[in-house]
DNA sequence: CTGTTAGCGCGTTCAC
DNA sequence: GTGAACGCGCTAACAG
């Protein structure tokens, strides 16, 4: 029923091995023979049997890209960029030569699903795996992931982190491209402080995520640097806790967290959000409370997603080179580019000052 | 080096066949034996060899989801929703039983890459393929896609369209979930007309996309219905052409197209955009020209992506149930739900009236 | 440069 | 309920 390599070989009057060789292109074959084979392939509409090929060669052309939430452009941009480097441009014939199959797997932020996907990719003997975005900070889970990655690496799967900090256990098999979330968070809050803000609300992400923690740490660093954050026992101690509200990385959470902050501390003059999506929700909450941005309250985000520049007023935020990072991760996964020295690169974050932040109202 | 079924069998003191049977669970096995086998699996950290398994069984657990642009939440939402139905919740062990591997493939809107991905999926003997979003209206390409899908279906791959119109050649092997883009476009423009608008600019998508065409057709239908669009020869004929500008589905294109429309026809009182992302660019352009929304110019979008409600003013748009449609497509692909009667279902679009549209200024 | 020969690891008949 | 044997379709040594 289905046409096999042998059928092609018969039609081209060559041996199966020769057909395999022209298809994989890794071996010298006479031009005339190759011609004949290719014609037979087209005539018969032959498509390689992937599983058989993978079994025999002990490798597959599958590359997995894991993301927390594919509906979030933060991940979509990185994953799409990685795919451009992996999938290859195609040759327009749809014949698909030595192309890799770059596929995106959506974990929904669940550690279990992340592990399941890794197992599935391991089962497929994936050529490489790219893990994007913040990790969940749970020791058991981290250990499980690390162990799983070690086995994958062992089996020849290349592992790349993108926008994700290196494993805490120093697993050296992994190349990591980490964003400077802490530095970005710090510079953002320094900017707010420089404008004159002293009471700054912070809408944080889910508490167990590395991204959340690093951005928040940067924020606090800046407060401490400005002498704003009080130590325990000082008057005003605990303020920083009161002004920080955690929640998922979505619009609604930003909306509600901001209302909560405004309730707890009506005198805040600025809100920093853990990412742009959340910041949008924060803006809505601020406006619904009848306050103007930035005259009454400044709002800032993080990531610089495409829509942020179109917010009204345009969102002050921290730009992460998502596309570039994704593309680079893709190239490393393909072996087209060397991993960074030491296996770890920190990618700079750039402060983008726009209209949503301004000096606080004179009191 | 790598542990195989035989190793597990040896450790459990059973035959390889028995191990295979407990792993696939489709065969009666004594409880005590199964117990022993599973323990051996865990002890040895055994992971099934996917390619070998697929080769022997002539099926694979791969399900492909094709999208035009994964950085666009329009696709991210649908693809993520489909994956929730396909990937299964996992059992928390990371062991991965009979799970399918749902993977997203980003075509970047290129017909060639679409074809290449289909070939790659065919090569992997994918269990199902979900194609999302508008198709490219090129006869040669349509035919190629249709032929390819026919072969896939032939090989037992289930095919589902999601937010994509059925094949024009009536390929009946495909279940199609189509959005009512035409009806949505019509109702949106009817809304503008009802507000009193007569000169309405239209920022269309790429001309070769079905989505673009259907939405535009709906728009024109509404104009004609209101007696606004003139026939050829009438005074004002060609206006509708002059007021329509095509471009990619991105923010920048919306910005530039809007500037162009404003240049061509400074008297337009409303701009309808082909989608929300484009509408955001349109809003920016309108504002940069010193015009207010909606007092001077109304702006409307399409899709009702999550950020649209947070635009200022909130965007009037047409809601498409992206998540629900994606999930349903996923279920059909898994065989958990029957295809719609006749293989085709049209999914309704709902007009969402918000602050960005209002009656035109009295002249 | 090309053909021949052996498996790759598992699912699936068959027997028992 | 379990084991033995065969073959899925292809690649990777070898020869030649």
């Amino acid at each position: 029923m289905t046409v096999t390599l042998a059928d092609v070989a018969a039609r081209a009057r060559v041996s199966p091995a020769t057909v395999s060789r022209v298809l994989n292109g890794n071996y010298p074959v006479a031009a005339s023979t190759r011609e004949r084979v290719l014609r037979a392939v087209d005539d018969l509409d032959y498509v390689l049997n992937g599983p058989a090929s993978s079994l025999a060669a002990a490798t597959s052309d599958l590359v997995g890209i894991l993301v927390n939430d594919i509906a979030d452009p933060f991940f979509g941009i990185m994953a799409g960029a990685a795919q451009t480097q992996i999938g290859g441009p195609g040759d327009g014939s749809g014949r698909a030569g030595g192309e890799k199959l770059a596929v995106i797997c959506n974990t929904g932020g669940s550690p279990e699903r992340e592990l399941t996907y890794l197992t599935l990719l391991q089962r497929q003997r994936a050529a490489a795996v790219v893990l994007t975005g913040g990790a969940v900070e749970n020791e058991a889970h981290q250990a499980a992931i690390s162990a799983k990655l070690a086995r994958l690496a062992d089996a020849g799967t290349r592992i790349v982190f993108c926008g994700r900090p290196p494993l805490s256990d120093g697993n050296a098999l992994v190349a990591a491209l980490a964003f400077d979330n802490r530095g970005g968070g710090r510079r953002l809050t320094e900017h707010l402080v420089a404008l004159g803000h002293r009471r700054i609300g912070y809408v944080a992400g889910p508490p167990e995520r590395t991204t959340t923690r690093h951005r928040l740490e940067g924020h606090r660093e800046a407060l401490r640097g400005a002498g704003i954050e009080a130590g325990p026992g000082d008057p005003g101690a605990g303020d920083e806790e009161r002004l920080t509200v955690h929640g998922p990385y979505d619009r609604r959470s930003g909306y509600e967290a901001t209302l909560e902050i405004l309730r707890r501390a009506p005198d805040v003059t600025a809100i920093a959000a853990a990412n742009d999506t959340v910041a949008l929700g924060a803006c809505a909450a601020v406006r619904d409370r009848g306050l103007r941005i930035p005259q009454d309250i400044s709002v800032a985000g993080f990531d610089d997603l495409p829509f942020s520049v179109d917010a009204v007023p345009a969102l002050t935020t921290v730009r992460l080179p998502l596309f570039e990072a994704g593309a680079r991760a893709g190239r490393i996964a393909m072996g087209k580019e060397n991993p960074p020295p030491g296996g770890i690169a920190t990618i700079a974050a750039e402060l983008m000052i726009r209209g949503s932040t301004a000096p606080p109202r004179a009191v």
Side-chain angles (χ1 to χ4, degrees), chain A:
Chain A
M1 190 65 220
T2 135
V3 26
T4 76
L5 232 200
D7 299 332
V8 176
R11 189 173 228 279
R13 321 188 60 88
V14 295
S15 77
T18 302
V19 178
S20 170
R21 295 198 262 253
V22 332
L23 256 27
N24 292 306
N26 303 327
Y27 233 75
V29 175
S32 65
T33 316
R34 125 180 286 103
E35 193 64 26
R36 215 145 26 95
V37 169
L38 251 22
R39 225 161 21 100
V41 167
D42 279 347
D43 288 352
L44 265 37
D45 224 342
Y46 170 69
V47 173
L48 200 61
N49 183 319
S53 159
S54 297
L55 174 57
T59 62
S60 94
D61 53 2
L62 208 67
V63 174
I65 302 171
L66 266 58
V67 301
N68 287 337
D69 179 10
I70 195 58
D72 185 339
F74 176 82
F75 292 101
I77 292 170
M78 280 194 292
Q83 256 188 351
T84 61
Q85 300 299 312
I86 295 170
D91 62 353
S93 72
R95 207 190 290 115
E99 319 260 353
K100 299 282 179 199
L101 210 203
V103 300
I104 300 168
C105 306
N106 192 33
T107 66
S110 145
E112 293 79 32
R113 289 194 58 69
E114 182 169 74
L115 218 45
T116 301
Y117 269 123
L118 286 177
T119 300
L120 252 11
L121 289 167
Q122 179 182 9
R123 180 186 288 188
Q124 301 293 339
R125 306 300 189 251
V129 174
V130 178
L131 292 95
T132 65
V136 169
E137 298 201 293
N138 170 299
E139 217 167 302
H141 177 244
Q142 292 263 44
I145 291 282
S146 188
K148 177 65 86 182
L149 292 179
R151 311 199 137 272
L152 274 163
D154 219 58
T157 300
R158 214 170 279 147
I159 318 271
V160 185
F161 282 9
C162 181
R164 182 167 174 139
L167 257 6
S168 52
D169 62 2
N171 189 324
L173 302 161
V174 174
L177 266 30
F179 292 131
D180 183 17
N181 284 311
R182 189 165 322 180
R186 181 166 42 67
R187 280 193 294 284
L188 181 61
T189 296
E190 283 171 353
H191 158 68
L192 293 173
V193 168
L195 286 173
H197 294 278
R198 287 299 172 270
R199 301 275 292 167
I200 304 173
Y202 192 84
V203 182
E208 70 281 7
R209 283 240 135 66
T210 52
T211 317
T212 300
R213 181 164 64 79
H214 293 155
R215 292 181 183 181
L216 180 52
E217 284 173 2
H219 170 68
R220 298 243 165 114
E221 251 174 61
L223 292 182
R224 240 186 337 265
I228 296 176
E229 177 159 329
D234 293 354
D239 251 30
E240 58 275 18
E241 297 298 339
R242 226 161 36 87
L243 296 184
T244 301
V245 175
H246 285 270
Y249 279 124
D250 62 33
R251 185 253 168 201
R252 186 173 151 208
S253 156
Y255 184 90
E256 285 166 5
T258 300
L259 288 185
E260 175 63 21
I261 289 172
L262 258 21
R263 206 174 300 128
R264 290 188 195 169
D267 59 338
V268 296
T269 59
I271 303 265
N275 78 12
D276 286 355
T277 306
V278 167
L280 236 48
C283 287
V286 166
R287 262 190 298 265
D288 284 1
R289 287 289 296 266
L291 300 166
R292 293 163 306 165
I293 304 171
Q295 295 89 339
D296 300 316
I297 291 210
S298 289
V299 176
F302 208 112
D303 290 345
D304 195 22
L305 295 186
F307 59 73
S308 303
V309 71
D310 285 321
V312 179
L315 200 60
T316 290
T317 185
V318 176
R319 158 164 295 191
L320 257 26
L322 299 174
F323 190 92
E324 294 76 4
R328 186 170 169 202
R331 266 179 270 121
I332 295 175
M334 292 296 286
K336 290 199 244 171
E337 177 177 328
N338 289 326
I344 302 175
T346 299
I347 296 178
E350 181 190 1
L351 180 61
M352 306 295 288
I353 299 176
R354 297 203 269 246
S356 69
T357 51
R361 266 164 99 81
V363 188

